[in-house]
């Protein structure tokens, strides 16, 4: 391997090289030691040169994308915690009218130029205000959408509940002091209350679908790689997804069409997708128009729906939620779909494998800002604000202040990162990656015999905000246990998964309070449109707000 020129190269300080060699447990002769001082000095000269260069962050033209009224809302203007920051951003020359006039909330882990990104965290090391827009934001503006603010998200995007964000608790749109789910909590609430027309969420274990189910809206975790994740804070690249959250299925398809397709930057994506494969709105409209001329019991004829046995059989599945979801499945059958039971025996194990695969890379990417080995936009302007690591890169650590600013979910990821790094190294991550590949094959085998699988999105109704005694992490980490039982698997497998509302169920702690619940539809990869077709036909035939399921 070539090295940079050693002519006129700096000679690295001897003490620095001794510390490096000693820390690695190596021993070098004096002659070899001197060579390494020159070789590493030449490398450091090159490194210092590039660290001073402009790395071409995609700063938007302020004359084309107008930004006004950027401000932090007061408590009375936050829509009960839904908003983190308000603004008005629009394009002066949109490229299409796909989202013309639609108001949009952007989850607060997504870069919007000139607007702070909290990621649900206290600004321990200073506030981060990016100078560029995420690809999905640019695409929304180019489609005529109007960004009206950043939606609150949970602490470091690592909580499935909505009382952990630095910007404040986000209350369920149907009952104060109940969770919206997380981590896209603000996006779920703002769409449900009508504060915006549509919103973006991000999903690593259910963070779009859980708030969608608990807030009574439609949320899609698209096929992995369908939508670029460029300019968005992630958890782990192999499970990161960004997607639409809307009131209706058609609006969901509309927003997906605006943001989908390769951007040439994000290495999660195929280099090419046929333009026709990205026409979700016309595909859905044509399907619904064809069904309009048929008897209602024939509109889903030819579709085969697999009811996932394990998705309904989990020990945490609430009987009222199961009843609502089975009623929705019966509704699909009444529309002409063939309904069969299917089984993936390792469904629960796949969720556990997702959990065990996450710490090694998730700790590095999400908490320590180590995204090396990726081909993507690196958010270098965030710098130390992302992860004020202490010590050499191989032993990177969070400062006490940053650790203390994390919610129990974030602290749990960090502690598991430390533990798994010390005890297992890469072996546990590698093993779980292979197990998740086997699980993907098991779901693929089922989806080869049916068009979609269905199951409850969240096994139980929205929980009330906890009244926890003490300051330990155990209670907050276990009170929402099971919320990702049916969602996290599909972040690892990459299948598209759509949650849509199918009725109300009683709150577990107060039967007088009725809360939304959702059915999840999972399809083959890059067959997101089939999820829309099935959900939209059910939506057209049912008013979910009139459906109440009790014991």
């Amino acid at each position: 391997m070539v090295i940079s020129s050693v002519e006129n190269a700096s000679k690295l300080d001897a003490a620095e090289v001794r510390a490096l060699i000693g820390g690695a447990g190596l021993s070098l002769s004096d002659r070899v030691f001197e060579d390494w001082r020159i070789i590493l000095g030449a490398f450091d000269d090159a490194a210092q040169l590039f660290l001073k260069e402009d790395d071409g962050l995609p700063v938007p033209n302020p004359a084309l994308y107008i930004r006004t009224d950027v401000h932090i809302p007061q408590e009375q203007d936050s829509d009960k915690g839904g908003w983190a920051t308000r603004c008005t951003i629009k394009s002066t020359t949109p490229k299409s009218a796909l989202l013309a006039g639609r108001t949009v909330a952007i989850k607060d882990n997504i870069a919007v130029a000139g607007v702070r990104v909290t990621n649900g965290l206290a600004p321990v090391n200073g506030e981060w205000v990016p100078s560029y827009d995420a690809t999905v934001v640019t695409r929304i503006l180019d489609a005529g959408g109007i960004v009206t603010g950043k939606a609150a998200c949970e602490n470091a995007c690592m909580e499935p509940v909505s009382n952990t964000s630095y910007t404040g608790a986000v209350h369920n749109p149907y009952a104060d002091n109940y969770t919206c789910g997380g981590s896209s909590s603000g996006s779920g609430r703002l769409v449900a209350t009508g504060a915006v027309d549509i919103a973006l969420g991000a999903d690593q274990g259910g963070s779009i679908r859980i708030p969608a189910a608990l807030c009574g809206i439609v949320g899609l975790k698209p096929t992995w790689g369908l939508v670029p994740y460029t300019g968005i804070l992630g958890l782990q690249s192999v499970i990161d997804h960004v997607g639409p959250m809307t009131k209706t299925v058609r609006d969901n398809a509309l927003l997906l069409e605006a943001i989908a397709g390769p951007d040439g930057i994000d290495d999660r994506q195929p280099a090419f997708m046929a333009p026709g494969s990205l026409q979700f709105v016309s595909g859905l409209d044509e399907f619904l128009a064809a069904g309009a001329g048929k008897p209602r019991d024939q509109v889903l004829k030819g579709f085969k729906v697999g009811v996932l046995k394990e998705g309904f059989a989990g020990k945490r599945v609430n009987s009222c939620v199961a009843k609502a979801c089975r009623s929705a499945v019966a509704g699909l059958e009444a529309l002409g779909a063939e309904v069969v039971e299917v089984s993936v025996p390792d469904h629960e194990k796949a969720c556990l494998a997702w959990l065990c695969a996450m710490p090694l890379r998730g700790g590095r990417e999400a908490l320590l800002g180590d995204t090396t080995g990726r081909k993507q936009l690196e958010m270098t302007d965030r710098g130390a604000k992302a992860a004020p690591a202490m010590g050499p890169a191989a032993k990177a650590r969070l400062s006490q202040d940053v650790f203390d600013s994390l919610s129990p979910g974030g602290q749990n990821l960090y502690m598991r990162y430390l533990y798994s790094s010390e005890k297992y190294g890469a072996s546990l991550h590698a093993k779980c990656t292979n197990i998740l590949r086997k699980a993907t094959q098991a779901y693929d085998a089922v989806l080869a015999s049916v068009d979609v699988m269905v199951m409850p999105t969240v096994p139980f109704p929205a929980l009330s905000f906890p009244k926890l005694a003490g300051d330990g992490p155990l209670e907050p980490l276990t009170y929402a246990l099971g919320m990702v039982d049916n969602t996290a698997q599909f972040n690892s497998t990459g299948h598209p998964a759509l949650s849509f509302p199918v009725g109300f169920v009683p709150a577990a702690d107060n039967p007088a309070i009725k809360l939304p619940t959702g059915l999840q539809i999972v399809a083959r990869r890059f067959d997101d449109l089939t999820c829309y077709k099935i959900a939209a036909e059910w939506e057209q035939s049912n008013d979910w707000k009139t459906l109440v399921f009790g014991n």
Side-chain angles (χ1 to χ4, degrees), residues 183-254:
S183 62
S184 306
S185 49
S187 296
R189 178 181 171 86
L190 293 170
V191 171
T193 62
V196 290
D197 298 320
I198 52 181
L200 285 180
D203 193 315
Q204 285 83 19
S207 290
I208 288 173
R209 293 158 288 158
I210 292 169
L214 301 188
C215 292
I217 66 170
V218 181
L220 175 74
K221 181 203 74 65
T223 298
W224 185 77
L226 176 61
V227 180
Y229 207 81
T230 303
I232 306 173
L233 298 178
L235 177 50
Q236 188 181 1
S237 56
V238 295
I239 60 174
D240 288 333
H241 302 72
V242 59
M245 302 176 71
T246 61
K247 278 194 173 180
T248 68
V249 175
R250 189 181 187 279
D251 276 356
N252 210 272
L254 194 72

Side-chain angles (χ1 to χ4, degrees), residues 132-311:
Y132 48 87
D133 293 331
T135 298
V136 288
V137 173
T138 301
R139 288 180 173 179
I140 284 169
L141 297 172
D142 284 344
I146 303 169
V147 173
T148 56
K150 302 294 294 294
C153 70
E154 296 313 301
N155 187 287
C157 291
M158 292 177 196
E159 300 285 356
V161 291
S162 62
N163 62 335
T164 69
S165 177
Y166 161 71
T167 60
V170 187
H171 295 264
N172 189 284
Y174 291 92
D176 286 354
N177 299 309
Y178 281 77
T179 185
C180 289
S183 62
S184 306
S185 49
S187 296
R189 178 181 171 86
L190 293 170
V191 171
T193 62
V196 290
D197 298 320
I198 52 181
L200 285 180
D203 193 315
Q204 285 83 19
S207 290
I208 288 173
R209 293 158 288 158
I210 292 169
L214 301 188
C215 292
I217 66 170
V218 181
L220 175 74
K221 181 203 74 65
T223 298
W224 185 77
L226 176 61
V227 180
Y229 207 81
T230 303
I232 306 173
L233 298 178
L235 177 50
Q236 188 181 1
S237 56
V238 295
I239 60 174
D240 288 333
H241 302 72
V242 59
M245 302 176 71
T246 61
K247 278 194 173 180
T248 68
V249 175
R250 189 181 187 279
D251 276 356
N252 210 272
L254 194 72
L255 182 50
L256 181 64
E257 185 166 325
I259 62 177
D263 70 350
I265 302 172
D266 184 4
D267 62 8
R268 299 166 182 81
Q269 297 193 276
F272 174 78
M273 299 179 201
S277 69
L278 303 175
Q279 293 176 353
F280 301 103
V281 181
S282 60
L284 179 59
D285 285 348
E286 288 168 10
F287 174 77
L288 294 176
K294 299 177 183 178
R296 292 310 293 163
D297 62 356
Q298 298 291 307
V299 294
L300 289 180
K301 186 175 177 59
F303 285 93
K304 195 170 183 179
V305 175
V307 178
L308 185 66
K309 174 184 174 183
E310 292 78 13

Side-chain angles (χ1 to χ4, degrees), residues 373-505:
R374 299 287 315 289
K375 209 171 202 178
Q376 62 172 10
L377 174 72
E378 295 287 355
M379 294 179 276
T380 50
D381 63 328
R382 193 169 179 235
K385 297 182 181 69
M390 303 174 68
K395 293 287 186 182
R397 297 290 184 262
L398 294 181
S399 68
Q400 186 68 50
D401 284 348
V402 172
F403 179 78
D404 290 342
S405 74
L406 294 172
S407 64
Q411 291 181 347
N412 184 34
L413 176 65
Y414 185 62
M415 294 297 284
R416 287 185 291 128
Y417 161 72
L418 295 175
Y419 181 76
S420 61
S421 298
E422 288 292 326
K423 183 165 185 177
Y424 300 110
S427 63
L428 177 63
H429 183 273
K431 190 69 136 178
C432 289
T433 297
N434 286 342
I435 289 168
L436 287 165
R437 177 179 51 80
K438 286 170 56 181
T440 302
Q441 293 170 337
Y443 291 114
D444 283 344
V446 169
L447 286 167
S449 63
V450 297
D451 294 292
V452 296
M453 295 182 294
V454 296
M455 67 211 77
T457 308
V458 181
F460 42 80
L463 302 169
S464 57
F465 291 151
K467 298 178 176 64
L468 300 173
D471 298 320
L474 187 59
E475 285 184 88
L477 285 173
T478 55
Y479 98 100
L481 199 64
M483 200 167 273
V484 301
D485 281 0
N486 280 343
T487 55
Q489 298 90 334
F490 304 112
N491 289 86
S492 294
T493 69
H495 294 97
L498 176 81
S499 180
F500 67 102
V502 294
F504 287 93
V505 296

Side-chain angles (χ1 to χ4, degrees), residues 312 317-332 455-456 458 500-506 515-519 538 542 544 547-550:
F312 281 85
V317 176
N318 174 278
S319 61
C320 297
V321 169
K323 188 182 297 185
C325 290
R326 290 198 181 277
S327 175
V329 172
L332 297 176
M455 67 211 77
V458 181
F500 67 102
V502 294
F504 287 93
V505 296
L515 298 164
T517 195
L519 182 72
W538 187 93
N542 297 272
W544 75 270
L547 304 175
V548 181
F549 299 88

